Amino acid sequence: MTPIEREDIQATVAAGIISEGQAAQIIAVSEERDGIRSQLTGSDEPFELFKGFNEVFIIIGLVLLYIGWNGIALAFGSVDALIPSAIAPGVVSLLTLGLLARYFTLNRRMVGPSNAIVVMWTLSAMQLGTTLYARFLLDTIPPDSGNMAFYVSFTGVFVPMFVLAALLAFWYLFRIPSTLFAIALAIYVLVFAVTRASGQNIEGWRDIFLLSSEGPFSLITIALGLFGFLAAMYFDLKDPHRVTRHNKNAFWVHIIAAPAIVNTVALTLFTDGGTAAIAALIAFLLFITCSALIVDRRSFLLSGVIYIIALAFSIEEGSTFTTVFLLGAALVATGAFWAVLRSALLNTLPTFPFKDRLPPWAQKPA
């Protein structure tokens, strides 16, 4: 049987036999079955921000459209903290982005424009949520409130809650994988806002990651990071061959979960200083490397690189670039021999739950 080429599909669209959206779906399935399955090697991790320059062209147009619309909204409405204070522009922005997502995501199956729309949807939800908060909630604060700081902090929870609700609705409608990154980030912000409303204060950014700080925020960070890791593994275990949307969902959740875990532990050990803490930091980074190999995800390694560089600059100046050079060599070697290292590690480890549902690796001869 003669295989069907892309030109044949385009010809059927021109003849009116199938729609452009149906053609995009057929091509997507074909690329998943043939392109990814046949071309993906053991050292590859699927990643895609856009499919071609036409998507970049459309992304630039969407950005200009978004900036222009916000400029028009600012020109015809009053200005409050550099956002449109009128509610109508925010509603129109979300509705328009929903229509654009329906076309570029559901009909055209475009990756880049879909990711751009996720960012714009998040920003628009933040704008509308802040406008609603400023217009209605702030006006309800009693002028003679004895605990106005608590009242303002508590009502401030509304904005991240509104953004999270908008993102969940967007995910339900369009299932764009990068939406999960925005949802996870919104959950972080919402939990932190609720914690602050309860009377806890953040003295600085270190309180978010430093386990030795007095507040609960670092514990919240690592707890949410672990929860995100479990959610990412849920998607990963449903798609061990990395050819479906579950793989993309897992990637975006790993991107935010890994730094939450690695940054919290690594910054705490690095800040403690001393030989024991540095040794523990090195052991932890080695553990993260092995974990990344096992689940076949490189995001954990990238999260730990910054701490190795910081450690290098904390040593004598003469050895700094030597350490950075060795780090670069280690990353290049790990990337080049990822499949070999992963195969050796998994063949060495005994059987554990879900091991058979991990991405395939080269089995050692019986």
Side-chain angles (χ1 to χ4, degrees), residues 7 22 29 64 73 77 87 96 98 114 143 145 171 192 247 253 262 270 276-277 288-289 293 308 320 322 328 337 364:
E7 291 77 10
Q22 291 172 326
V29 172
L64 295 177
I87 297 174
T96 303
S114 298
S145 175
W171 165 257
F192 277 26
N247 161 62
V253 180
V262 177
F270 183 75
I288 289 299
T289 302
L293 287 168
I308 302 178
T320 297
T322 301
F337 299 101
K364 62 182 178 181

Side-chain angles (χ1 to χ4, degrees), residues 12-80:
T12 59
V13 174
I17 299 175
I18 62 175
S19 67
E20 187 176 4
Q22 291 172 326
Q25 293 176 349
I26 294 173
I27 292 173
V29 172
S30 176
E31 288 176 348
E32 287 185 350
R33 288 177 55 83
D34 181 56
I36 295 179
R37 289 180 185 272
S38 63
Q39 298 176 18
L40 192 64
T41 66
S43 60
D44 285 330
E45 182 176 340
F47 175 71
E48 189 177 45
L49 284 177
F50 53 86
K51 292 183 177 180
F53 190 76
N54 185 49
E55 291 198 357
V56 177
F57 187 82
I58 294 174
I59 291 172
I60 295 174
L62 288 172
V63 172
L64 295 177
L65 184 68
Y66 182 78
I67 294 174
W69 168 249
N70 280 277
I72 294 172
L74 283 170
F76 284 92
S78 60
V79 179
D80 184 11

Side-chain angles (χ1 to χ4, degrees), residues 19-240:
S19 67
E20 187 176 4
Q22 291 172 326
Q25 293 176 349
I26 294 173
I27 292 173
V29 172
S30 176
E31 288 176 348
E32 287 185 350
R33 288 177 55 83
D34 181 56
I36 295 179
R37 289 180 185 272
S38 63
Q39 298 176 18
L40 192 64
T41 66
S43 60
D44 285 330
E45 182 176 340
F47 175 71
E48 189 177 45
L49 284 177
F50 53 86
K51 292 183 177 180
F53 190 76
N54 185 49
E55 291 198 357
V56 177
F57 187 82
I58 294 174
I59 291 172
I60 295 174
L62 288 172
V63 172
L64 295 177
L65 184 68
Y66 182 78
I67 294 174
W69 168 249
N70 280 277
I72 294 172
L74 283 170
F76 284 92
S78 60
V79 179
D80 184 11
L82 298 181
I83 63 171
S85 61
I87 297 174
V91 175
V92 172
S93 180
L94 290 179
L95 291 176
T96 303
L97 288 170
L99 293 174
L100 290 172
R102 178 178 177 82
Y103 176 71
F104 288 113
T105 302
L106 300 184
N107 293 346
R108 296 292 300 275
R109 301 291 177 177
M110 288 186 167
V111 177
S114 298
N115 292 330
I117 291 171
V118 170
V119 176
M120 296 173 193
W121 178 276
T122 305
L123 294 176
S124 296
M126 291 173 59
Q127 290 176 343
L128 181 56
T130 306
T131 299
L132 293 172
Y133 167 67
R135 277 296 186 90
F136 298 107
L137 296 182
L138 282 180
D139 292 340
T140 63
I141 298 178
D144 57 346
S145 175
N147 193 4
M148 184 172 291
F150 169 78
Y151 198 96
V152 173
S153 179
F154 182 76
T155 53
V157 172
F158 171 79
V159 178
M161 187 181 299
F162 181 86
V163 173
L164 178 59
L167 287 170
L168 289 173
F170 190 80
W171 165 257
Y172 176 79
L173 292 173
F174 304 109
R175 292 293 198 276
I176 301 174
S178 57
T179 311
L180 292 175
F181 177 89
I183 289 174
L185 190 59
I187 292 174
Y188 274 82
V189 176
L190 177 59
V191 173
F192 277 26
V194 172
T195 305
R196 289 195 64 187
S198 67
Q200 300 290 337
N201 292 320
I202 299 179
E203 301 296 335
W205 67 269
R206 285 175 173 263
D207 290 348
I208 300 176
F209 298 108
L210 200 59
L211 290 173
S212 57
S213 60
E214 296 181 359
F217 296 100
S218 58
L219 295 175
I220 293 174
T221 297
I222 195 168
L224 291 176
L226 291 171
F227 178 79
F229 174 76
L230 293 177
M233 289 306 302
Y234 167 79
F235 290 116
D236 266 339
L237 294 176
K238 293 181 69 173
D239 181 23

Side-chain angles (χ1 to χ4, degrees), residues 61 76 155 159 184 206 224 234 250 265 283 290 297 299 325 342 352:
F76 284 92
T155 53
V159 178
R206 285 175 173 263
L224 291 176
Y234 167 79
V265 177
C290 292
R297 290 290 182 185
S299 55
F325 173 80
R342 183 168 183 269
F352 55 85

